[in-house]
Amino acid sequence: MAITNNQVVSIEYTLTEKGQSEVLDTNKGQAPLDFIMGMGMIISGLEESIKDMNKGESAVVEIPALGAYGEREEEAVQTLPKEQFAGVELEKGMQLYGQSEDGQTVMVTVADFDDKTVTVDYNHPLAGKDLAFDLTILDVRDATDEEINTGVIGGDSCGCGTSGCH
């Protein structure tokens, strides 16, 4: 039976760049990744690739860059005055969080810096990369109305955030 929208899907995965062996991310031996199908909680290419899978099924699914984090955009690389980073001990490759002009939180990667300027890259670190997920569907269930409305999976209704609430 195919996975449909508004179902909670739990997966275990190992992520690599297509054709490479270096592990970029994994949750094997850890908590599963839970998401609600059709709500855009995971990259679109992965959601599309698993919709015909079933609980207990394993596969290696390959996601082209456009279905993952998009292509790299060179205009997303900017050089800024170093004084904007006062108090930050800069390292090449470090990731920083800031605010965009519209108030959204954005992540940038420090691409390079010198005494006067800092070059930052607004592209996602995996932009431009074709990805491969070695995954297993651990569980599939219908999402509750609360999960659909809030996007929070498995939340408790009392809001106390502990397992001991009554």
Side-chain angles (χ1 to χ4, degrees):
M1 191 162 71
I3 299 170
T4 60
N5 285 348
N6 296 328
Q7 286 189 307
V8 175
V9 181
S10 298
I11 65 171
E12 180 178 74
Y13 68 90
T14 296
L15 171 64
T16 58
E17 188 173 345
K18 180 181 172 185
Q20 304 294 315
S21 60
E22 179 188 348
V23 174
L24 301 174
D25 191 23
T26 186
N27 70 344
K28 289 198 174 178
Q30 302 171 38
L33 171 64
D34 297 330
F35 60 92
I36 301 173
M37 191 71 161
M39 291 189 72
M41 295 177 149
I42 61 171
I43 58 175
S44 62
L46 182 57
E47 195 169 80
E48 183 65 26
S49 294
I50 67 168
K51 69 181 184 181
D52 293 325
M53 293 178 68
N54 297 297
K55 179 179 175 177
E57 192 172 342
S58 296
V60 174
V61 295
E62 295 179 351
I63 314 295
L66 285 176
Y69 295 97
E71 295 295 339
R72 281 191 52 76
E73 297 177 14
E74 289 311 312
E75 59 273 12
V77 177
Q78 295 182 350
T79 300
L80 304 169
K82 192 169 185 179
E83 56 262 17
Q84 288 187 13
F85 299 86
V88 177
E89 208 166 310
L90 295 170
E91 291 181 36
K92 197 172 179 178
M94 75 185 301
Q95 295 176 331
L96 302 170
Y97 293 88
Q99 275 196 329
S100 64
E101 291 156 6
D102 61 0
Q104 298 291 317
T105 299
V106 294
M107 181 185 75
V108 299
T109 302
V110 175
D112 205 1
F113 63 94
D114 59 28
D115 292 341
K116 296 182 180 183
T117 62
V118 178
T119 302
V120 295
D121 187 346
Y122 287 86
N123 285 294
H124 187 282
L126 297 176
K129 297 182 187 290
D130 296 331
L131 304 177
F133 286 84
D134 182 350
L135 63 88
T136 301
I137 307 291
L138 300 175
D139 196 21
V140 178
R141 66 170 175 81
D142 290 336
T144 65
D145 289 341
E146 185 175 352
E147 288 170 328
I148 293 167
N149 291 331
T150 66
V152 177
I153 298 169
D156 57 59
S157 58
C158 70
C160 67
T162 65
S163 58
C165 57
H166 302 28

